[in-house]
Amino acid sequence: MTSFKLGFRLFSQNSFINSLLALELLLVFLLCASLTATISFLIQAQKDLSPTQKQKFVYYMPNTNRTIRDGNTFVKQKDEVLLNKYPELISVGHAIPVSFETDAEALPNRFTFRAYNTEMINGVKTKMKDGSWFMHDAPEGCIPLVVTDSNIPVGTIINAYNRKLSLEISFYVTGIAKSPFYYYDSGRSGDRLGSNDILELYKAKESSDFTGVFNYEQVKGFDYEKIDMTVNRYLYFEYETDSDVYSSYKEELKFDGFIADSASIREVDYEFYITTLKNELPEILCLFIISMVGLMSIAIMNISRMIPTFGIYAVCGCSKKTNLRIISVYLAIITAVSLSASFVFMILCKKLDFEYFSAITVSNFYALLGLSVFIYIVTMIFVILRFKKNSLRKMISDN
Amino acid sequence: MIKIDGLFKTYNKGKANQVNALSDFNISVYEGDFVAIMGPSGAGKSTLLHIIGCVEDFDSGDVVIDGKKIDELNDTELSKFRNKTIGTVFQDFALMNDCTVLDNVELPLLFSGVKRKKRMQLCDKALNMVGMSELKRRNVLELSGGQRQRVAIARAIVNSPKIILADEPTGALDSITSKQIMNMLKKINENAVTVIVVTHEREIAEFCKRTIIISDGKTVSNVRA
Ligand SMILES: Nc1ncnc2c1ncn2[C@@H]1O[C@H](COP(=O)(O)OP(=O)(O)O)[C@@H](O)[C@H]1O
Ligand SMILES: [Mg+2]
């Protein structure tokens, strides 16, 4: 009872400094949480790219004259040339990002749809949440469209236009793809060609990430040669990627500048994640150590300030055990304050849809508890050492 | 009540700034005694009081207080001893500055587990005795030196200890306030409480039953008034 009373008094007496301490705890917690969120995102992204089925396809032909990491230069080749060179090849898939604008209220003003050719449409199988991937049943004058997970229902008609290409299309939503949705796209990251360039992970979440897929061959006047620069080609084989035929072509394809199958892309990608992590790990560790040291010094400075008070308590008949109990209560209050503050913060983030902190979930509270235990241990060790080292008279004369 | 034999206390032992604060110091104080301890500055008066008050350890010697050898007590026993047997008034008061008078005075009662109602009664009694009951809700920082001195005394007496130790309780006060404080200690002594006062003023010492003069950490004379 006495411990509670005095522990609470320690907190309330200097509520400003104590709130600062709680805030610092919260900040360090957020920092740690966002770091773990980053790492877990990388790991999750890696997991999402793990193989699900054997492929019969996927060679990616990037834009003209691009150099990849091993120094090879890609030279764009016509579909006919490819078909001649690789007799086992049965088709060439196209995937072209096309940006559109719309006046529809439920949609962002601008978004990018993927224009696939029929080979591509048939080659890619995506799990559906609603409707169908095969887009036959659109009303007269409408182009079937599969959108990513969004609040647009099947049957919606979207009027979209692209001024540069003089395209004006009425899309009819025939299906909604399940999230995560992998779409085929050209890379944004310059010369690095990883699986992000070919199998871009799409997580339907932000409305700006809204995307859709349609068959450009169904659009009259869609001149794909006109935007050929951005066409990505996918070669389809009769044979799966673990077959001997595939293996015999592998080197030649590579020499021609095609990216390998998704298994080897994944390897490249994995390397990328590891190097990214390796590059960022020192930074992460530094931040972590700095914040830990900061937290530790704040905790120690804070408790040093109170040493005379503990001395006075002792003079008045408080045993060391009771003193430590009082400090425990005091620290528990700080923890409770920062826990509730972070709870409020989390709710706010959820309400405001603040993406950066969306990774902070209830489980991250364990991290905060861990930090509190850390502060508790540091403070206790410090106090116990002070109790050991100095006589009571010394403790109170610091007053 | 207090029996000290061959007490040695050295600060900064083995270092260049070593100080022998007390060497082979002896003193006996009887129950109900009212002792003034006098001596020049640096003689070891405060050190002695701190050792008796169990807030400072010592190197060697026998210190027996209320029948207990204090160097044989563990932390819990020592705390209880400080709580129930001894009330110390420090030279610099040792009050919690950002708290109220009441917060300070009730501390010893809190640690001996006295219930709230009883605690308030006892605090009122002690504060009445030092004439501070009007100001019990005041913050210590708002008080004058004399008032703080009274609060420190109230805290020392609130748990009815057998021994009161006061280190220069009038050091920073004018002569009228000093006399009031000494009269207060005298009244406390009349209730069979042993009182030891450190001072360097002769008039203050005259309030006491006897005076012990120490110099260079040794008892020089033991005068019965
Ligand atoms: N904490 C300390 N560290 C080192 N020396 C001390 C300490 N406290 C007191 N002293 C020294 O011990 C001697 C006795 O001090 P003290 O008991 O305070 O004397 P008094 O109260 O009689 O003036 C002095 O020489 C003083 O400098
Ligand atoms: Mg002194």
Side-chain angles (χ1 to χ4, degrees):
Chain A
M1 198 58 220
T2 300
S3 319
F4 275 95
K5 189 182 158 86
L6 293 177
F8 188 77
R9 193 186 282 172
L10 282 184
F11 182 81
S12 59
Q13 245 163 35
N14 258 307
S15 42
F16 179 68
I17 291 181
N18 288 317
S19 305
L20 278 186
L21 187 70
L23 200 69
E24 160 80 9
L25 196 66
L26 175 65
L27 284 179
V28 174
F29 155 68
L30 288 178
L31 188 82
C32 292
S34 68
L35 290 180
T36 40
T38 311
I39 293 173
S40 67
F41 175 78
L42 286 176
I43 290 169
Q44 188 56 40
Q46 181 58 29
K47 253 192 215 155
D48 285 345
L49 288 168
S50 54
T52 47
Q53 67 204 71
K54 286 182 186 168
Q55 292 169 249
K56 270 189 168 179
F57 66 92
V58 182
Y59 279 96
Y60 165 65
M61 186 171 187
N63 299 344
T64 322
N65 299 336
R66 261 173 74 178
T67 308
I68 56 162
R69 296 190 325 163
D70 59 7
N72 282 340
T73 301
F74 297 127
V75 178
K76 179 161 286 209
Q77 308 201 44
K78 295 261 179 205
D79 292 359
E80 307 86 75
V81 179
L82 293 172
L83 287 161
N84 276 332
K85 188 162 183 187
Y86 302 99
E88 316 286 347
L89 190 71
I90 57 161
S91 59
V92 177
H94 294 168
I96 312 164
V98 184
S99 62
F100 283 101
E101 291 176 44
T102 186
D103 302 327
E105 266 181 28
L107 294 175
N109 288 346
R110 281 172 175 282
F111 44 79
T112 303
F113 283 165
R114 269 75 202 168
Y116 289 1
N117 64 357
T118 308
E119 278 77 12
M120 196 72 194
I121 296 276
N122 293 336
V124 176
K125 290 276 181 288
T126 293
K127 281 183 190 152
M128 301 302 288
K129 190 180 160 192
D130 197 11
S132 67
W133 174 252
F134 303 101
M135 314 167 200
H136 334 283
D137 46 0
E140 190 64 26
C142 288
I143 301 298
L145 177 78
V146 164
V147 293
T148 52
D149 198 358
S150 71
N151 48 7
I152 296 167
V154 170
T156 308
I157 291 176
I158 300 170
N159 294 311
Y161 47 88
N162 179 316
R163 288 208 180 83
K164 222 169 88 193
L165 300 174
S166 334
L167 285 174
E168 199 166 342
I169 307 176
S170 292
F171 290 108
Y172 177 82
V173 178
T174 62
I176 295 164
K178 215 173 193 162
S179 171
F181 175 64
Y182 300 93
Y183 60 82
Y184 294 78
D185 197 0
S186 64
R188 279 169 266 158
S189 46
D191 290 341
R192 198 194 77 80
L193 296 171
S195 63
N196 269 353
D197 299 312
I198 184 165
L199 296 166
E200 194 154 344
L201 175 69
Y202 177 77
K203 291 217 161 146
K205 188 171 180 303
E206 295 284 305
S207 54
S208 62
D209 283 334
F210 169 74
T211 191
V213 170
F214 67 98
N215 185 346
Y216 72 73
E217 289 174 38
Q218 294 176 327
V219 181
K220 277 192 203 95
F222 190 95
D223 184 2
Y224 100 82
E225 292 287 342
K226 206 167 159 186
I227 41 175
D228 204 19
M229 289 296 284
T230 55
V231 173
N232 309 301
R233 285 187 175 82
Y234 298 87
L235 312 186
Y236 292 85
F237 283 87
E238 289 273 26
Y239 306 92
E240 293 184 342
T241 45
D242 56 352
S243 65
D244 292 344
V245 180
Y246 167 78
S247 306
S248 66
Y249 279 129
K250 200 169 175 174
E251 284 311 304
E252 204 179 341
L253 283 163
K254 214 170 167 183
F255 185 75
D256 263 352
F258 289 99
I259 298 302
D261 54 279
S262 61
S264 33
I265 289 167
R266 216 172 297 117
E267 251 165 56
V268 174
D269 215 48
Y270 188 68
E271 221 172 85
F272 169 69
Y273 284 132
I274 294 297
T275 32
T276 311
L277 261 184
K278 264 190 193 152
N279 288 342
E280 285 179 7
L281 208 60
E283 227 168 275
I284 291 175
L285 276 180
C286 265
L287 265 177
F288 191 75
I289 289 169
I290 287 173
S291 45
M292 278 311 184
V293 168
L295 202 60
M296 222 161 74
S297 13
I298 288 186
I300 286 178
M301 259 159 53
N302 181 50
I303 213 73
S304 300
R305 181 173 70 81
M306 300 180 179
I307 290 290
T309 305
F310 302 139
I312 291 169
Y313 287 169
V315 164
C316 292
C318 177
S319 64
K320 281 178 191 168
K321 234 187 264 166
T322 311
N323 244 329
L324 293 180
R325 220 176 294 143
I326 293 170
I327 300 167
S328 301
V329 171
Y330 162 71
L331 293 174
I333 295 172
I334 290 195
T335 305
V337 167
S338 52
L339 268 175
S340 9
S342 59
F343 193 72
V344 169
F345 188 86
M346 199 181 74
I347 301 242
L348 274 181
C349 283
K350 283 257 151 69
K351 278 248 155 72
L352 300 176
D353 217 9
F354 192 20
E355 197 197 356
Y356 187 66
F357 289 110
S358 64
I360 297 170
T361 58
V362 179
S363 63
N364 289 67
F365 280 100
Y366 292 121
L368 188 54
L369 274 179
L371 280 181
S372 309
V373 170
F374 171 75
I375 290 199
Y376 179 81
I377 291 172
V378 166
T379 311
M380 283 304 179
I381 289 176
F382 177 77
V383 171
I384 289 170
L385 288 181
R386 278 299 292 262
F387 278 160
K388 270 229 157 71
K389 192 171 147 234
N390 298 130
S391 65
L392 275 182
R393 185 200 48 75
K394 190 95 199 287
M395 278 169 66
I396 55 173
S397 64
D398 290 349
N399 203 348
Chain B
M1 189 92 233
I2 302 170
K3 181 125 183 60
I4 295 177
D5 267 323
L7 177 63
F8 285 85
K9 170 70 186 176
T10 306
Y11 288 109
N12 306 320
K13 203 163 195 168
K15 290 187 197 152
N17 55 348
Q18 175 171 325
V19 180
N20 297 319
L22 293 170
S23 37
D24 198 15
F25 185 86
N26 304 301
I27 186 182
S28 288
V29 177
Y30 309 100
E31 198 164 342
D33 220 345
F34 191 7
V35 184
I37 294 178
M38 291 191 72
S41 185
K45 309 182 293 291
S46 295
T47 304
L48 174 66
L49 220 60
H50 291 146
I51 290 172
I52 298 173
C54 306
V55 297
E56 183 81 88
D57 44 13
F58 51 93
D59 301 328
S60 62
D62 276 344
V63 179
V64 180
I65 302 172
D66 197 24
K68 293 195 179 85
K69 276 190 84 169
I70 59 168
D71 53 335
E72 285 171 0
L73 300 179
N74 65 24
D75 179 64
T76 316
E77 290 164 337
L78 265 182
S79 314
K80 214 166 164 189
F81 203 63
R82 282 192 290 261
N83 185 250
K84 290 237 163 50
T85 312
I86 301 169
T88 308
V89 182
F90 290 90
Q91 197 165 355
D92 55 2
F93 315 138
L95 296 174
M96 299 186 294
N97 285 329
D98 40 9
C99 294
T100 65
V101 169
L102 200 59
D103 287 343
N104 274 284
V105 175
E106 71 170 350
L107 274 184
L109 300 173
L110 274 177
F111 294 121
S112 52
V114 177
K115 291 270 177 306
R116 192 186 145 78
K117 209 170 152 198
K118 185 90 205 271
R119 217 160 60 214
M120 289 307 128
Q121 273 174 14
L122 292 173
C123 284
D124 280 340
K125 197 176 143 204
L127 285 167
N128 259 327
M129 196 143 177
V130 299
M132 286 290 290
S133 44
E134 306 276 279
L135 301 176
K136 66 179 177 186
R137 305 253 169 240
R138 281 280 189 89
N139 200 304
V140 169
L141 283 174
E142 301 165 14
L143 301 180
S144 70
Q147 286 169 330
R148 288 184 201 193
Q149 187 69 261
R150 285 157 198 261
V151 176
I153 293 173
R155 187 181 65 189
I157 62 175
V158 73
N159 216 3
S160 314
K162 295 179 184 168
I163 302 165
I164 298 279
L165 309 171
D167 196 350
E168 311 237 5
T170 59
L173 308 179
D174 59 80
S175 62
I176 297 173
T177 321
S178 298
K179 286 207 175 96
Q180 284 174 351
I181 298 274
M182 285 315 290
N183 276 322
M184 236 151 54
L185 288 173
K186 200 168 173 181
K187 227 159 79 195
I188 292 163
N189 174 248
E190 278 159 12
N191 296 329
V193 177
T194 310
V195 178
I196 302 177
V197 177
V198 165
T199 182
H200 54 257
E201 292 168 73
R202 196 150 291 281
E203 308 102 81
I204 298 302
E206 275 161 8
F207 280 87
C208 305
K209 290 179 183 164
R210 62 186 178 113
T211 303
I212 293 169
I213 296 173
I214 62 177
S215 169
D216 281 341
K218 281 201 169 73
T219 320
V220 170
S221 65
N222 201 330
V223 189
R224 197 159 268 278

